[in-house]
């Protein structure tokens, strides 16, 4: 079970990760996060960076080591990671790697109520999704190829995982769509006929799809 952390925002984890070897002020932290592509790996809300850095300092994970001023710009506070912060970074990383946690995405939400649409429309929509997934897969493969010439695999693992997830989703989507197109999806005729009668009762439509009830 995931621990309740003093600063639980994943942006905090990203900040700790990029500050392992260097003291920085907030603008440098933001630049480093973008440079390392952390905004692609995590749901980063840039507007909360100031608050997250402050909270990390309050929790003892960062400490102030100085400040600097560039011309007429406001003074910039410089932070460095503490030993407590390093321990938090390591412990949090271990938890994320070892303990699976359900991810409730938009696609899962749509699948949970797909019975409100007729099967022919679902097949068409899945076809559109599949086309986008194939484009994304091609782009990630290109990115991996380009980056692989510059970076060790150790720093591309999350991109490899993302590609594997995209490929698995594409294959699952293709197989579901194929069942809808060839009529082998269980309860499809009852599902289709429920839409022919007008307004759809989602609960009953789901039962039809699952083959648990006949109209």
């Amino acid at each position: 079970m995931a621990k309740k952390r003093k600063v639980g925002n994943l942006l905090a984890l990203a900040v700790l990760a990029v500050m392992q070897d260097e003291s920085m002020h907030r603008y440098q932290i933001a630049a480093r996060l973008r440079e390392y592509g952390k905004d692609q790996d995590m749901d980063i809300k840039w507007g909360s960076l100031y608050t997250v850095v402050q909270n990390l300092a309050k929790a003892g994970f960062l400490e102030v080591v100085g400040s600097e001023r560039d011309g007429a710009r406001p003074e910039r506070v410089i932070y460095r990671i503490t030993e407590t912060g390093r321990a938090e970074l390591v412990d949090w990383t271990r938890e994320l790697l070892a303990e699976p946690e359900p991810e409730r995405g938009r696609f899962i939400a749509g699948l949970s109520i797909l019975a409100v649409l007729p099967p022919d429309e679902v097949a068409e929509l899945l076809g559109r999704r599949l086309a986008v997934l194939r484009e994304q897969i091609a782009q990630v493969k290109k990115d991996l190829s380009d980056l692989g010439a510059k970076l060790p695999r150790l720093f591309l693992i999350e991109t490899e995982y993302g590609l594997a997830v995209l490929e698995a989703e594409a294959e699952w989507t293709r197989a579901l769509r194929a069942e809808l197109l060839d009529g082998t999806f269980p309860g499809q005729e009852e599902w289709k006929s429920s839409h022919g009668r007008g307004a759809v009762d989602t609960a009953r439509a789901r039962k039809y799809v699952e083959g648990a009830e006949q109209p």
Side-chain angles (χ1 to χ4, degrees), residues 115-190:
V116 303
L117 300 175
D120 291 347
E121 183 178 358
V122 171
E124 190 272 330
L125 294 169
L126 290 177
R128 285 160 52 182
R129 184 182 192 88
L130 189 56
V132 174
L133 286 170
R134 286 170 174 162
E135 289 178 1
Q136 292 175 342
I137 288 169
Q139 183 61 54
V140 175
K141 285 183 174 179
K142 181 180 182 302
D143 292 344
L144 271 175
S145 177
D146 293 344
L147 292 170
K150 306 172 186 177
L151 297 172
R153 187 182 175 203
L154 176 62
F155 300 111
L156 299 174
I157 289 296
E158 73 279 11
T159 306
E160 285 187 14
Y161 174 75
L163 176 60
V165 171
L166 284 173
E167 290 178 329
E169 181 183 330
E171 175 55 27
W172 187 88
T173 301
R174 183 205 62 76
L176 174 59
R177 182 169 181 266
E179 286 186 76
L180 294 173
L181 291 175
D182 63 23
T184 59
F185 189 89
Q188 186 168 334
E189 286 306 313
E190 291 81 5

Side-chain angles (χ1 to χ4, degrees), residues 48-66:
S48 63
L49 178 60
Y50 178 78
T51 301
V52 167
V53 170
Q54 281 192 318
N55 289 340
L56 286 170
K58 288 178 182 176
F61 300 143
L62 297 179
E63 63 183 357
V64 176
V65 292

